[in-house]
């Protein structure tokens, strides 16, 4: 089955700097890679996703890149703000969507004022 | 305001109790899920319902019993739980199984 590794487990950056979270996956058939943000006391919220037919996707300050050859994908957050502080989860599946998602263990992102 | 509502938000129960977790989705989705979230571990899929039919059961102990009476509601019935079952239980829904997941805010369960 799929195995997803996520690094780092904790990331502390200064407000205004960029943050990068990386994930690797094992199943070359995986074709859908979502990222979720979980704030304290809330459930995970989808913030961006990418499918295997593209290499990069952007949404304002958030971007995701995918390297299918190396089987890794990354979340990039630019101009970080205090409200970006949360736990971020990556996931992967060959099912194209919710089906068969395997999640990483999460990255606790801390934005220092 | 999430489109997936879970009640209660917090639950403390003894090992001999019987309780139920409730989930309601207001998104018109056709698939619903139960996930378990424990500290330092990835999200674990427990059950999947698609069009009210259970399509996946990931080797979950029988002390957890799901119920999906219609496409908008999902329950997780709990009985004779163990302390290691203490966790955040998340409900999610999706338009279909190839669409993105939408999560509720979870029920924090503590088994004493």
């Amino acid at each position: 089955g799929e195995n997803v590794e996520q690094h780092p487990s904790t990331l502390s950056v200064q407000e205004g700097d960029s943050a990068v979270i990386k994930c690797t996956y094992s199943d070359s058939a995986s074709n859908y890679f979502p990222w979720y943000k979980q704030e304290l006391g809330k459930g995970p919220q989808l913030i961006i996703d990418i499918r295997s037919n593209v290499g990069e996707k952007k949404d304002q300050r958030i971007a995701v890149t995918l390297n299918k050859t190396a089987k890794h994908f990354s979340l990039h957050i630019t101009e970080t703000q205090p409200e970006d502080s949360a736990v971020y989860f990556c996931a992967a599946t060959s099912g194209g969507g919710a089906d068969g998602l395997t999640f990483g263990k999460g990255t606790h992102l801390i934005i220092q004022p | 305001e999430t489109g997936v509502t879970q009640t209660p938000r917090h639950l403390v129960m003894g090992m001999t109790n019987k309780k139920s977790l409730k989930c309601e989705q207001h998104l018109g989705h056709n698939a619903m899920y139960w996930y378990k979230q424990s500290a330092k571990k990835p999200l674990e899929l427990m059950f999947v319902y698609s069009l009210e039919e259970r399509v996946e059961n990931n080797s979950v102990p029988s002390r957890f019993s799901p119920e999906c009476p219609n496409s908008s509601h999902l329950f997780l019935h709990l009985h004779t739980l163990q302390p290691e079952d203490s966790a955040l239980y998340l409900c999610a829904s999706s338009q279909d199984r190839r669409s993105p997941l939408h999560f509720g805010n979870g029920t924090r369960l503590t088994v004493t």
Side-chain angles (χ1 to χ4, degrees):
Chain A
E2 175 69 279
N3 182 48
V4 175
E5 298 287 340
Q6 183 172 348
H7 299 280
S9 57
T10 303
L11 177 61
S12 181
V13 301
Q14 289 294 125
E15 182 178 350
D17 288 351
S18 296
V20 181
I21 302 170
K22 299 180 180 181
C23 288
T24 60
Y25 60 98
S26 60
D27 186 354
S28 57
S30 287
N31 57 13
Y32 176 66
F33 308 89
W35 285 90
Y36 285 85
K37 174 184 180 182
Q38 186 172 23
E39 297 177 80
L40 195 62
K42 295 188 176 181
Q45 179 183 6
L46 179 69
I47 55 171
I48 195 166
D49 56 11
I50 192 168
R51 298 190 183 272
S52 58
N53 58 344
V54 297
E56 184 176 2
K57 184 176 179 181
K58 287 184 179 180
D59 183 2
Q60 299 182 344
R61 296 187 296 109
I62 293 173
V64 57
T65 59
L66 171 65
N67 183 327
K68 288 190 295 182
T69 303
K71 289 191 282 189
H72 68 70
F73 56 112
S74 300
L75 178 71
H76 304 253
I77 306 174
T78 58
E79 301 173 15
T80 52
Q81 300 170 4
E83 54 265 35
D84 295 328
S85 293
V87 179
Y88 292 81
F89 295 93
C90 65
T93 179
S94 59
D99 199 26
L101 273 175
T102 299
F103 286 84
K105 290 185 178 181
T107 295
H108 186 192
L109 176 62
I110 302 166
I111 308 301
Q112 302 280 5
Chain B
E1 179 68 30
T2 177
V4 180
T5 303
Q6 290 188 244
T7 55
R9 291 298 312 273
H10 301 273
L11 178 63
V12 179
M13 59 186 290
M15 289 190 284
T16 58
N17 291 160
K18 289 185 180 181
K19 296 286 184 183
S20 296
L21 309 185
K22 179 183 176 182
C23 176
E24 182 176 1
Q25 59 98 358
H26 316 276
L27 301 169
H29 289 172
N30 293 314
M32 296 188 77
Y33 311 76
W34 280 117
Y35 279 85
K36 177 182 180 182
Q37 186 175 35
S38 305
K40 308 295 185 185
K41 294 176 70 175
L43 283 163
E44 301 173 56
L45 178 64
M46 301 175 71
F47 301 104
V48 181
Y49 277 82
S50 180
L51 296 172
E52 303 157 40
E53 177 184 348
R54 190 192 308 182
V55 295
E56 197 163 334
N57 175 347
N58 279 357
S59 303
V60 179
S62 59
R63 57 186 184 267
F64 295 92
S65 175
E67 179 190 1
C68 187
N70 56 61
S71 60
S72 298
H73 293 86
L74 185 65
F75 294 90
L76 188 62
H77 303 299
L78 317 170
H79 64 97
T80 57
L81 294 190
Q82 304 298 312
E84 59 265 29
D85 296 322
S86 297
L88 182 68
Y89 288 84
L90 290 162
C91 174
S93 69
S94 63
Q95 180 60 49
D96 51 55
R97 296 180 72 190
R98 296 184 63 82
S99 298
L101 277 176
H102 296 257
F103 285 93
N105 287 330
T107 294
R108 172 67 62 184
L109 174 67
T110 303
V111 181
T112 61

